[in-house]
């Protein structure tokens, strides 16, 4: 009797990515932390937007009422951090529980796993943030009778999407690099929120200049037009920091052991 060798064709990259992304989405939506983060983002983005609407007369120094889209932009300024935590936890929880080892066994193509691990949480955080922004904008329009033009909405959503994508990629990259939820959270909060506001407050020029080089300053300018910089500089900050974090985090996933 002659044995016949049967060669099974390996699935293509697109198939493996689809399976990995499906697994990432399943894992993301079945853990409670994801829903707690979304709840926190909802309360913050919509809540700040509503407060801004009630106090619309004091938002601008000129006394002119701002557009309703300002509500969502102010809300995302702080509410984005709940969404960044969502993206960060999506990559650090497995290192804390030790589940990263079987994940790498199930998806040995680490580049494909990296693509899925970055894409799914960033897309979820960005879509959620944009939907919450729309809710805040409509609430401000109803409460304070602010203008809500389609062109303003499109411009606002595009800027918010850029901030959330850049911040999400930064969070995922830092999480993959440090593999520690606490360390990654502290790093992201310092870069995105604490240092951009804190350093200029010391009144020292070099510290203020340093603060303007952080990713949080690019996000603040993109949302609110502050501090003083150009659109190119803000874009360079967002893309540059998220790119560096992604390269560093990708190297960690591709080259380092699971432990």
């Amino acid at each position: 009797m002659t044995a016949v060798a049967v060669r099974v064709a390996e699935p293509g990259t697109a198939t493996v990515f689809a399976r990995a992304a499906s697994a990432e989405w399943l894992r993301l939506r079945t853990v409670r932390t994801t829903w707690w983060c979304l709840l926190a983002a909802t309360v913050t983005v919509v809540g700040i937007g509503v407060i801004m609407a009630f106090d619309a007369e004091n938002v601008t120094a000129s006394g002119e009422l701002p557009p309703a889209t300002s509500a969502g932009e102010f809300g995302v300024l702080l509410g984005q951090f709940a969404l960044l935590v969502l993206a960060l936890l999506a990559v650090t929880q497995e290192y804390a529980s030790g589940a990263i080892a079987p994940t790498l066994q199930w998806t040995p193509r680490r580049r494909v796993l990296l693509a899925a691990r970055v894409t799914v949480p960033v897309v979820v955080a960005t879509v959620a943030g944009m939907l919450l922004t729309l809710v805040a904008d409509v609430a401000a329009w109803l409460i304070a009778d602010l203008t809500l033009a389609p062109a303003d909405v499109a411009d606002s959503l595009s800027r918010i999407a850029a901030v959330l994508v850049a911040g999400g990629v930064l969070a995922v990259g830092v999480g993959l690099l440090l593999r520690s939820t606490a360390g990654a959270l502290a790093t992201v909060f310092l870069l995105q929120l604490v240092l951009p506001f804190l350093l200029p407050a010391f009144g020292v020029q070099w510290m203020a200049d340093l603060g303007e080089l952080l990713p949080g300053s690019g996000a603040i300018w993109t949302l609110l037009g502050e501090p003083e910089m150009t659109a190119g500089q803000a874009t360079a900050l967002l893309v540059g920091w998220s790119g560096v974090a992604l390269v560093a985090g990708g190297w960690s996933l591709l080259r380092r052991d699971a432990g």
Side-chain angles (χ1 to χ4, degrees):
M1 184 175 182
T2 303
V4 179
V6 178
R7 184 176 180 180
V8 179
E10 294 185 0
T13 300
T15 301
V16 176
F17 173 79
R19 293 173 180 173
S22 178
E24 291 295 316
W25 168 237
L26 176 63
R27 184 169 59 87
L28 192 64
R29 74 174 189 264
T30 53
V31 295
R32 285 179 293 179
T33 53
T34 297
W35 300 103
W36 282 115
C37 289
L38 290 176
L39 177 61
T42 301
V43 172
T44 306
V45 174
V46 178
I48 291 178
V50 169
I51 293 172
M52 175 266 169
F54 279 113
D55 198 34
E57 291 82 359
N58 298 323
V59 172
T60 57
S62 63
E64 297 179 0
L65 290 177
T69 53
S70 297
E73 293 161 6
F74 273 98
V76 169
L77 184 62
L78 289 179
Q80 64 173 311
F81 295 101
L83 300 172
L84 298 187
V85 170
L86 183 156
L88 189 150
L89 290 176
V91 299
T92 59
Q93 284 183 325
E94 283 195 331
Y95 288 103
S97 64
I100 186 63
T103 295
L104 293 176
Q105 291 176 342
W106 296 329
T107 311
R109 300 187 195 179
R110 294 197 181 191
R111 294 181 185 276
V112 178
L113 177 63
L114 173 63
R117 186 140 290 189
V118 173
T119 301
V120 172
V122 171
V123 168
V124 170
T126 302
V127 171
M130 295 174 68
L131 291 176
L132 293 176
T133 297
L134 282 175
V135 173
D137 292 346
V138 172
W141 174 60
L142 294 174
I143 292 171
D145 195 25
L146 304 178
T147 59
L148 190 63
D152 291 338
V153 173
D155 175 68
S156 177
L157 288 180
S158 65
R159 289 185 287 109
I160 287 170
V163 168
L164 292 176
V165 169
V169 172
L170 174 69
V172 171
V174 172
L176 289 173
L177 177 64
L178 299 183
R179 300 183 173 187
S180 164
T181 299
L185 280 175
T187 301
V188 171
F189 269 77
L190 284 172
L191 293 175
Q192 286 285 100
L193 178 64
V194 179
L195 292 180
F197 282 106
L198 183 62
L199 290 178
F202 285 100
V204 181
Q205 187 60 43
W206 70 267
M207 297 180 74
D209 293 339
L210 178 61
E212 291 187 4
L213 296 177
L214 298 176
S217 295
I220 295 169
W221 186 92
T222 304
L223 293 174
L224 305 181
E226 300 175 359
E228 294 185 5
M229 63 175 65
T230 66
Q233 290 172 326
T235 302
L237 288 175
L238 293 178
V239 174
W241 277 94
S242 59
V244 169
L246 180 59
V247 169
W251 169 85
S252 178
L253 179 63
L254 297 176
R255 301 300 181 186
R256 293 170 62 189
D257 293 335

